[in-house]
Each structure stands twice: as C-alpha cells, then as structure tokens.
Amino acid sequence: MTLLARLASDVQLMFRRPPRQQYGAICYRVKKKSGDVEVLLMTSRDTGRWVIPKGWPMTGKCAHEVAAQEAFEEAGVRGAVETETLGAYSYSKVLRDGVQVACKVQVYALEVTDMAKNFKEKGERRIEWVSFDEAAGRVREPELRGLLLAFKRKVTERLSAKAAKQGSAGKQIPAE
C-alpha cells in the first residue's frame, strides 16, 4: 500500500462515525383457529421497501419500550413486547437532507394483541401480515432476514412446548 493510499485510508477511518442506534420490533400474532404465526411487515415511507417498525431512541424510554412505541405509531399495533433483544441488523438510511448514515437496529419481539383503527402514520405505509418465510423473502437486509428465520424457530419451539404442556395437563393419571 502506498503512503498516499495509507493516509487516505487513515483519514477515512478518522471521519467514519459509529452507526446510529435505532430500536425495532418484529410484530407477530398467532391465528386462533389455525395456530399459524404471522409477521407484520410494512413499507418504508421513502423507498417503499419492506421493513419492520423502528425508530430513534426516546428520552426516558427503554429500548424495548421504544420498539413498542414505534410499532404503534407506524403500524397501529399494540401488545406484549419482550425485554430481551432478538439481535440486531444494520442498514443504510438516507436522511431528509440527503446524507446517508449507517444505522444499527436492536430488535425486540412484540406479540400483537390489539390493532388500532387510527394511528400516527396511518395511510403513509402499506401494512401486511405474512408468514415468516414470506417476510424473510421480502426484506432486503440479510441480517434482518436471519433474525426473522431465527425467531420463527424460537416461536415454533415455544408453541410446540405450550401445546405439549396443555396436552399433558389434560391427561389424568389413574389412581392405583
């Protein structure tokens, strides 16, 4: 590497900013009749790509609370949000002024129990409920795709364990 190339590389590293932190939610629901699990995806307002609800940190709110708040503001869903993160993914965001910034999104699971008729960003996005596999196929970010598929396995295991527990609870052991 030439001295000039090395200097250019060092200068780029000096001015590189760490990724900006955001918090997001994988919103899901279990259909009562079939037991199928669906994930909420929505389109971004700027590019129309498929994304999950996410946003910037909020003063006085924990990360998982921000994820739940964004899910309500952007998609009109409420529910039980988990406090433990599912992981994170990175993406590039173009700000209103045209500047492109790297963002890292910490993701939390939110089991949807209620959908509001009116919410802050109603009509600004398209919202769809899809299978985990469909969601993984629609999102552009490989790390988000991985989080969706890993969470699918986790939810499937939870539901199987719950069904097994309910099945064994209903069986009576005969007295001798």
Side-chain angles (χ1 to χ4, degrees):
M1 182 181 278
T2 68
L3 181 60
L4 192 55
R6 174 75 191 260
L7 282 171
S9 175
D10 288 351
V11 168
Q12 279 184 326
L13 286 172
M14 283 174 27
F15 288 104
R16 183 180 298 157
R17 293 184 176 192
R20 295 201 183 171
Q21 184 68 59
Q22 288 190 311
Y23 303 109
I26 292 179
C27 303
Y28 71 100
R29 66 183 181 189
V30 181
K31 293 174 110 181
K32 284 185 173 74
K33 289 182 181 175
S34 65
D36 292 340
V37 181
E38 294 179 315
V39 179
L40 181 140
L41 283 185
M42 59 187 201
T43 54
S44 68
R45 289 186 295 185
D46 50 359
T47 64
R49 73 187 193 288
W50 290 103
V51 297
I52 62 171
K54 63 187 171 305
W56 305 108
M58 296 176 189
T59 305
K61 286 194 185 280
C62 296
H64 66 279
E65 293 171 326
V66 172
Q69 178 73 34
E70 291 296 335
F72 179 69
E73 289 179 8
E74 296 180 356
V77 295
R78 287 191 181 104
V81 65
E82 294 182 12
T83 58
E84 191 176 315
T85 183
L86 295 173
Y89 72 96
S90 302
Y91 80 104
S92 215
K93 179 173 183 64
V94 179
L95 300 176
R96 288 187 184 127
D97 59 8
V99 174
Q100 193 168 354
V101 296
C103 292
K104 185 171 188 125
V105 184
Q106 205 169 312
V107 180
Y108 296 86
L110 187 147
E111 185 172 6
V112 175
T113 55
D114 184 47
M115 292 185 65
K117 286 188 171 66
N118 294 305
F119 51 96
K120 190 175 181 180
E121 296 183 18
K122 184 177 180 172
E124 296 180 28
R125 306 166 182 276
R126 210 165 98 212
I127 296 169
E128 288 188 23
W129 287 97
V130 297
S131 69
F132 277 106
D133 294 334
E134 176 71 21
R138 286 189 188 188
V139 298
R140 289 187 190 165
E141 299 82 5
E143 293 167 310
L144 177 55
R145 185 174 302 125
L147 286 175
L148 284 161
L149 295 174
F151 187 58
K152 172 189 176 182
R153 289 188 293 276
K154 192 174 181 179
V155 168
T156 303
E157 288 169 8
R158 277 188 203 164
L159 293 174
S160 295
K162 188 177 178 182
K165 191 175 180 182
Q166 287 175 341
S168 67
K171 295 178 185 172
Q172 293 291 324
I173 300 172
E176 290 182 21

